[in-house]
Amino acid sequence: MSAGPTEGTPPSVSHRLVFEAAPDGILIVDGEGTIREANPQAARMLGYDPGELEGMEVERLVPTSLRGAHHSQREEYMADPHPRPMGVGLALKALRKDGRELPVEISLSPCSTAEGRFVIAVVRDVSERNRLRALGAGTLRAAEEERRRIARELHDDTAQYLAALLVRLHVLRRTEDPEGRRVLLDEMQEELSAAVEGVRRISRGLRPPALEDVGVEAAIRSHVRSMAEVSDLSVELTLDQANRVTDPEVQLVVYRVVQEAMTNVVRHADADRAQIVLDRDGEELVVRVADDGRGFDADQVLLDGRGLGLLGMDERARLVGGRLKVTSEPGRGTRVELRLPLPEESSHV
Ligand SMILES: Nc1ncnc2c1ncn2[C@@H]1O[C@H](COP(=O)(O)OP(=O)(O)OP(=O)(O)O)[C@@H](O)[C@H]1O
Ligand SMILES: [Mg+2]
């Protein structure tokens, strides 16, 4: 090294910097399985305070169900240590202090010093990668299903009516009798209306109904009405601020989030009551769907990259500059809250 602030610094100090600043968690574990050192990133991702990991048994970072196996594997590894990724092809999990399981990738390298043998474990948090993968796969699958549905409808419905129309048109050409022609024309008119209705239905399915014409409030009310037919959930609506949502893209996000959150309430919550609120908080629009049902561990679902519905809501929120928060606890209901910046002009109204 020539000049600069590190001039004359012993290498061990800059190595320490690398250890401290590394984006991955690094644990140095001794032959007994005790963590001797952990960098700040390791503590952060596992939910511990700085310094808290040192002196702890590394097995405490292994989900309880896997601890036994981990212990014997670690002893095997210490007998013949060599650099290797851990659990290649397996979905590894690290147990955080709060009891949640973090999806991780771990690489191990042995090192020997005068003090004995150690293993350096580099731990990478892969929850964000899993989330994006699940989202990508889910989006593709949803698009594929949608295409199949449209193809089926077009084939079984619209194309059938049009084919029948074509046949009758041929017959019509050869029919001279006026009464016969009248009957044929009536039938053709009916088939044409059915085909038009089919096309309308398909395009309605592609975009939520009423939304462009009647706005978010009516669309949500109509969705809740149709849900009431299949469940006895009582839903309270407070939608006074709904008319502030005028941007069609934002309308769609608000509607889809309410739709998914309510579908989840009906499918998963086993709730008696739900509440849908469109409110204003300063410069923000707040959309809230709350239920008094069984609740769930939302953070764990998101960490695992499970829950395409939740991920989809989150993604939609971000697309329009908003954010989504899911608060839920087993036994205490669930609250899905979407916050969106209100357009400037409407915040002065
Ligand atoms: N309101 C709720 N009450 C209780 N559990 C819920 C609620 N919302 C979500 N969950 C739990 O979170 C999980 C993930 O929800 P998410 O909507 O992401 O997926 P899903 O509903 O299972 O499937 P889909 O991809 O069809 O939406 C659910 O399987 C359920 O266990
Ligand atoms: Mg869902």
Side-chain angles (χ1 to χ4, degrees), residues 189-203:
Q189 188 172 347
E190 255 176 48
E191 272 153 9
L192 200 53
S193 324
V196 168
E197 179 46 40
V199 171
R200 286 227 178 88
R201 202 175 49 245
I202 294 168
S203 59

Side-chain angles (χ1 to χ4, degrees), residues 8 17 19 26 44 58 72 84 107 115 123 157 164-165 178 207 209-210 213 236 242 257 279 286 296 332:
L17 273 178
F19 178 77
I26 304 177
R44 217 171 6 249
V58 73
S72 52
R84 71 167 176 92
S107 315
E115 276 189 73
V123 186
D157 190 280
L165 261 175
R207 222 169 143 57
D213 307 331
E236 186 191 320
V257 165
D279 204 356
V286 184
F296 70 109
R332 306 196 131 195

Side-chain angles (χ1 to χ4, degrees), residues 259-261 263-265 267-268 307-310 313:
Q259 192 182 31
E260 171 60 25
T263 305
N264 279 349
V265 174
R267 278 175 60 199
H268 309 298
L308 284 179
L310 295 178
M313 287 196 277

Side-chain angles (χ1 to χ4, degrees), residues 229-303:
E229 291 165 14
V230 294
S231 93
D232 44 15
L233 185 73
S234 117
V235 184
E236 186 191 320
L237 296 162
T238 314
L239 304 175
D240 315 333
Q241 301 290 324
N243 61 359
R244 289 186 180 275
V245 192
T246 48
D247 177 344
E249 210 187 337
V250 177
Q251 286 185 326
L252 188 62
V253 170
V254 170
Y255 180 77
R256 289 295 195 209
V257 165
V258 169
Q259 192 182 31
E260 171 60 25
M262 283 304 293
T263 305
N264 279 349
V265 174
V266 172
R267 278 175 60 199
H268 309 298
D270 193 21
D272 296 321
R273 262 190 295 274
Q275 200 187 28
I276 305 176
V277 180
L278 255 75
D279 204 356
R280 185 180 158 186
D281 181 11
E283 305 296 294
E284 284 185 325
L285 177 79
V286 184
V287 182
R288 197 177 305 120
V289 176
D291 68 66
D292 65 350
R294 67 162 66 101
F296 70 109
D297 187 343
D299 290 336
Q300 186 65 59
V301 169
L302 288 172
L303 272 181

Side-chain angles (χ1 to χ4, degrees), residues 64-86:
T64 349
S65 58
L66 304 172
R67 263 181 211 167
H70 184 267
H71 186 79
S72 52
Q73 282 161 1
R74 189 170 55 72
E75 295 204 324
E76 250 172 59
Y77 182 77
M78 288 313 282
D80 173 25
H82 52 281
R84 71 167 176 92
M86 211 170 124

